[in-house]
Amino acid sequence: MRITLSVIKADIGGYVGHSESHPDVLAKADECMAKAKGDGLLIDYHVTKCGDDLQLIMVHQEGEESEKIHKLAWDTFIAGTDVAKKLKLYGAGQDLLSDAFSGNVKGMGPGVAEMEIEERKSEPVIIFMADKTSSGAWNMPLYKMFADPFNTIGLVIAPNMHTGFAFEVHDVKESKKITLNTPEEIYDLLVFIGAPSRYAVKAVHSRETEEIAAVSSTQRLSLIAGRYVGKDDPVCIVRTQAQFPAVGEVLEPFASPILVEGWMRGSHMGPLMPVSVPDSTPARFDGPPRVIGLGFQLSGGILIGPRDMFADKSFNLARHQANEMADMMRRHGPFEPHRLPLDEMEYTTMPQVAKKLEGRFIDLD
Ligand code: F6R
Ligand code: MG
Ligand code: MG
């Protein structure tokens, strides 16, 4: 059976500040999704949140970039924004950059990850959703899952994975893409994806079967809007087991927290903390950045689940380490490397301050 899994998300209002989503907004989204399921447009859906982001997980047979599905998501965000406005939630409708829907939500603010697949005999998938960071945050985890044998032993000892995976990398500034094959081209791949503010892994494919293995959202809101509108808070869909990495291999990268951009005012580096859905409530210095992972078994397009994968106790140490890393970064206050380099900050007073002090700068030579 051919189905499409679409995850479309937007921050349409925070509760309180940018720390959480309001239950009434989620309830409204559920109502819209239930109607679409009743009308037969969706086979199934799941509504959730990661911090202040509303997440719509939808299964259907309309294919990728379907106008009907994107319109459904857009209308759901508009309906949710009405609720957010009534409650005067913070930044109501903030990610909806346009007033009118024009066929596709891409470039309009919401984040999108979609994959059309032939549902396997058994189809376990994990959907990762992050808050207070940008799409490059998936680069290292995806590299570890699909190219690093120290993370994924299946690459070495499972015959159906041994040929490796192909990485589609997007240059989010120049709007270009390239596909690189692993393992042969890992050094070339790392030259790019080691710079996650510019290069983001958009998709991963099996080289043997060419099947899609993973897909992420790579929108950069600030580049779309040309001004600060929040970090993208990306999502990523990963297929698991059999010819793909096992569930444990897919989750393992998050057991060793890494530093990502996007914390406080989208202008700081902080640890990506794996948490359960209820714990995706970034409160300390508006963070630290969070990632949730929901596992589903697909059955004829029905989402069996979710299982809240990072609720598992084995991620307690990662959370503890992330808190220690958060302390270490906070110690730097307004200094790099906690504060992002000048051209990466979403907020800056540099032009005003530089202008004000223009006359006081004296040439050194
Ligand atoms: C980070 C984030 C928050 C806000 C901060 C200021 O991605 O969303 O840290 O940047 O709370 O928000 P505003 O400018 O909306 O008051
Ligand atoms: Mg927000
Ligand atoms: Mg957010």
Side-chain angles (χ1 to χ4, degrees), residues 9 11 18 50-53 94-95 130-132 231-233:
K9 51 84 39 185
D11 176 350
H18 292 276
C50 181
D52 59 6
D53 296 297
Q94 73 159 47
D95 282 356
D131 190 29
K132 308 294 181 256
K231 283 282 170 189
D232 335 13
D233 301 336

Side-chain angles (χ1 to χ4, degrees), residues 284-306:
R284 181 185 178 188
F285 199 57
D286 287 1
R290 306 294 156 108
V291 56
I292 58 171
L294 290 188
F296 296 93
Q297 290 287 153
L298 284 166
S299 174
I302 300 290
L303 290 158
I304 309 298

Side-chain angles (χ1 to χ4, degrees), residues 249 265 268 295:
E249 290 167 332
R265 298 179 184 274
H268 292 79

Side-chain angles (χ1 to χ4, degrees), residues 73-355:
W74 183 261
D75 290 345
T76 303
F77 293 139
I78 296 284
T81 298
D82 285 344
V83 175
K85 281 186 175 156
K86 282 198 191 96
L87 298 172
K88 287 183 72 181
L89 297 183
Y90 196 71
Q94 73 159 47
D95 282 356
L96 308 181
L97 304 179
S98 169
D99 293 334
F101 178 76
S102 58
N104 191 308
V105 293
K106 280 190 181 163
M108 298 183 77
V112 185
E114 296 183 288
M115 55 163 73
E116 186 176 359
I117 57 171
E118 183 65 37
E119 190 180 288
R120 294 173 291 166
K121 192 164 64 153
S122 180
E123 187 65 65
V125 297
I126 297 181
I127 299 172
F128 294 104
M129 294 154 269
D131 190 29
K132 308 294 181 256
T133 189
S134 54
S135 48
W138 306 127
N139 285 9
M140 200 201 292
L142 287 171
Y143 175 80
K144 285 184 164 180
M145 286 172 213
F146 291 100
D148 178 6
F150 279 77
N151 180 89
T152 299
I153 184 59
L155 296 165
V156 181
I157 63 173
N160 51 6
M161 285 174 62
H162 200 73
T163 342
F165 291 89
F167 285 68
E168 181 184 318
V169 177
H170 285 203
D171 176 340
V172 294
K173 288 194 178 146
E174 295 277 315
S175 210
K176 288 196 286 208
K177 64 177 180 180
I178 182 170
T179 298
L180 292 160
N181 288 325
T182 63
E184 306 90 287
E185 297 183 300
I186 57 171
Y187 297 163
D188 292 342
L189 174 67
L190 288 167
V191 168
F192 296 109
I193 68 170
S197 57
R198 168 135 186 201
Y199 299 96
V201 178
K202 174 65 187 174
V204 181
H205 286 86
S206 158
R207 287 176 67 190
E208 196 167 298
T209 64
E210 294 183 359
E211 284 167 294
I212 182 85
V215 69
S216 76
S217 57
T218 58
Q219 294 77 13
R220 287 209 72 184
L221 279 184
S222 51
L223 296 178
I224 295 169
R227 62 186 165 85
Y228 176 73
V229 283
K231 283 282 170 189
D232 335 13
D233 301 336
V235 294
C236 183
I237 308 171
V238 183
R239 298 171 84 186
T240 81
Q241 302 292 149
Q243 66 272 52
F244 303 118
V247 164
E249 290 167 332
V250 168
L251 297 176
E252 181 64 7
F254 300 97
S256 308
I258 56 166
L259 294 170
V260 296
E261 60 172 47
W263 193 1
M264 184 48 91
R265 298 179 184 274
S267 304
H268 292 79
M269 298 289 295
L272 185 60
M273 183 190 276
V275 292
S276 65
V277 176
D279 283 340
S280 66
T281 49
R284 181 185 178 188
F285 199 57
D286 287 1
R290 306 294 156 108
V291 56
I292 58 171
L294 290 188
F296 296 93
Q297 290 287 153
L298 284 166
S299 174
I302 300 290
L303 290 158
I304 309 298
R307 284 217 46 237
D308 192 346
M309 306 311 282
F310 291 136
D312 189 70
K313 288 187 171 52
S314 60
F315 289 94
N316 284 352
L317 186 58
R319 290 187 267 273
H320 181 79
Q321 285 175 353
N323 273 323
E324 301 265 25
M325 290 161 76
D327 255 359
M328 192 182 80
M329 294 308 280
R330 287 295 302 122
R331 207 166 295 157
H332 295 81
F335 285 77
E336 295 178 9
H338 183 28
R339 196 178 87 175
L340 292 183
L342 285 178
D343 57 348
E344 286 300 328
M345 286 195 302
E346 303 279 7
Y347 279 66
T348 182
T349 48
M350 183 59 98
Q352 297 100 292
V353 175
K355 190 157 178 26

